[in-house]
Amino acid sequence: DLINDLPPEADARQGFATLERHFPGGTISPVYVVVRDDRPILDDGRTDAIDELTDALRAVPGIAEVRSLTQPAGEPLTPENLDALAGSADLSSLGLEPDDPTTQQLLTDLQRPEGLRLTASILRSAPGLQERLAPLIGQDGRSTRLIIALEGNPYENDALDVFEQIDDEAAAALQGTELTDASISVGGPTAFYADMRTIGERDFKVLFVVLLIAIFVVLALLLRSVVAPLYLLATVVLSYAATMGIAVIVFQGILGDPGITFWLAPFLFVVLVALGADYNIFIMSRIREEADAGHTVVEATQRGLVLTGRIITSAGLILAGTFAALML
């Protein structure tokens, strides 16, 4: 939905190829910021706002490069990056006619130490250049897109943290400009994983509470006790915490990974708590049967462990072997 108003024609595809040439790692998974207003975007005041937004986003730690309508090379245009952007020293590759007075003025501006930042006036006077930048301008002329490359792996937690700042940073950068009231949409592959992490963290809190309450109710009805299920829940949570600790030690401490994936915590919690609760129910049911048969609590516990311990241990080893096979 963020880009369905962008031109699908061959010229637009050619423009994309031009924009993404020499683009850093973000080419694989760039972040797209779409700014949409009720007025034409090709107005000097609004393109100035886009230029300010470009500089503001580039200054955010964790962002490697920002390409926009005013800085399609990721920085103010110079003879060097113009060549990289066009893929050729021939200005016609950017839709510019070498003998055109506008082109000559652009070449002069390119020589300035601070480089050239494109404006609405420049783009209106150079239709060929505007056509090459079509992927950055909506078909209705009221929206524009910025392409952002994040530093490092765009799916790591650090990149997801940076992504979640972009919306607020963009809104702050446009405050007080001609695009103060413009809508801002942020998308791209990283957005999916950022949303999944947010949903996962929120749902994990609900899952944690609901699952423990459900298990507590089952154990309380089974054991006809309120205190005993609390001890059993503590053993389940302890096994989960130990497993998470081992995962961190192995993958971060030994293997040197920067972190563990965000879905590992809820996944392990469901598996370990479900399995732990099953085995707790198995052994506690037997202990309850022995106690109902007239044995003391100590005797019932001893008999329950003797009669079911090997079965439960065997079941655990079989399950461990099954999961170990997945490592292959």
Side-chain angles (χ1 to χ4, degrees):
D1 291 342
L2 294 179
I3 60 175
N4 59 9
D5 64 338
L6 295 173
E9 294 86 352
D11 285 340
R13 291 195 296 271
Q14 181 180 357
F16 265 124
T18 300
L19 289 171
E20 294 188 344
R21 189 177 292 112
H22 302 292
F23 200 47
T27 310
I28 299 175
S29 294
V31 173
Y32 297 109
V33 176
V34 175
V35 180
R36 184 175 290 106
D37 196 43
D38 295 332
R39 299 163 295 173
I41 207 71
L42 288 183
D43 170 85
D44 284 337
R46 286 183 276 283
T47 54
D48 287 346
I50 293 299
D51 197 57
E52 293 179 22
L53 173 60
T54 304
D55 291 339
L57 291 177
R58 187 187 298 115
V60 175
I63 291 182
E65 185 176 271
V66 182
R67 298 198 176 202
S68 67
L69 186 63
T70 63
Q71 301 181 48
E75 59 185 351
L77 291 174
T78 64
E80 291 75 20
N81 61 32
L82 179 65
D83 179 47
L85 178 67
S88 169
D90 185 2
L91 291 177
S92 61
S93 60
L94 276 179
L96 298 172
E97 296 297 333
D99 297 331
D100 189 279
T102 300
T103 301
Q104 296 302 319
Q105 182 60 48
L106 289 178
L107 289 175
T108 301
D109 294 340
L110 286 172
Q111 304 299 326
R112 295 181 301 182
E114 67 274 17
L116 171 65
R117 297 168 184 260
L118 298 180
T119 64
S121 299
I122 293 174
L123 292 173
R124 284 198 300 266
S125 63
L129 178 59
Q130 181 179 332
E131 183 179 342
R132 287 298 185 271
L133 298 181
L136 300 178
I137 308 174
Q139 281 185 312
D140 59 1
R142 294 184 172 87
S143 59
T144 184
R145 171 165 54 180
L146 292 82
I147 305 175
I148 300 175
L150 301 176
E151 293 178 353
N153 187 335
Y155 306 121
E156 289 181 349
N157 280 322
D158 289 344
L160 300 184
D161 292 337
V162 174
F163 175 86
E164 292 176 348
Q165 301 176 39
I166 292 177
D167 200 357
D168 292 336
E169 294 288 346
L174 293 179
Q175 192 66 34
T177 70
E178 289 285 330
L179 293 174
T180 298
D181 298 325
S183 66
I184 302 171
S185 304
V186 185
T190 304
F192 170 78
Y193 289 95
D195 289 345
M196 288 298 295
R197 185 178 70 168
T198 300
I199 294 171
E201 290 174 350
R202 181 193 65 202
D203 289 354
F204 180 44
K205 296 174 183 178
V206 177
L207 178 70
F208 186 89
V209 174
V210 171
L211 195 55
L212 289 184
I213 291 176
I215 294 175
F216 174 82
V217 171
V218 172
L219 291 175
L221 293 175
L222 175 69
L223 302 177
R224 297 192 293 277
S225 169
V226 175
V227 178
L230 296 177
Y231 287 100
L232 298 178
L233 286 179
T235 64
V236 170
V237 174
L238 180 62
S239 70
Y240 166 72
T243 303
M244 287 295 296
I246 292 173
V248 171
I249 291 173
V250 171
F251 291 103
Q252 291 186 244
I254 298 176
L255 300 180
D257 289 334
I260 56 177
T261 184
F262 60 87
W263 53 260
L264 184 64
F267 177 81
L268 284 181
F269 182 77
V270 171
V271 173
L272 292 174
V273 170
L275 294 176
D278 284 348
Y279 295 146
N280 275 338
I281 290 173
F282 293 158
I283 194 167
M284 292 306 297
S285 297
R286 185 63 192 222
I287 292 174
R288 167 60 66 183
E289 291 175 0
E290 295 297 332
D292 291 342
H295 297 96
T296 65
V297 173
V298 174
E299 292 174 340
T301 302
Q302 292 174 339
R303 289 180 60 81
L305 288 173
V306 170
L307 296 173
T308 62
R310 284 178 295 180
I311 297 174
I312 293 176
T313 302
S314 299
L317 291 175
I318 292 172
L319 191 65
T322 302
F323 279 104
L326 297 178
M327 292 191 296
L328 299 178

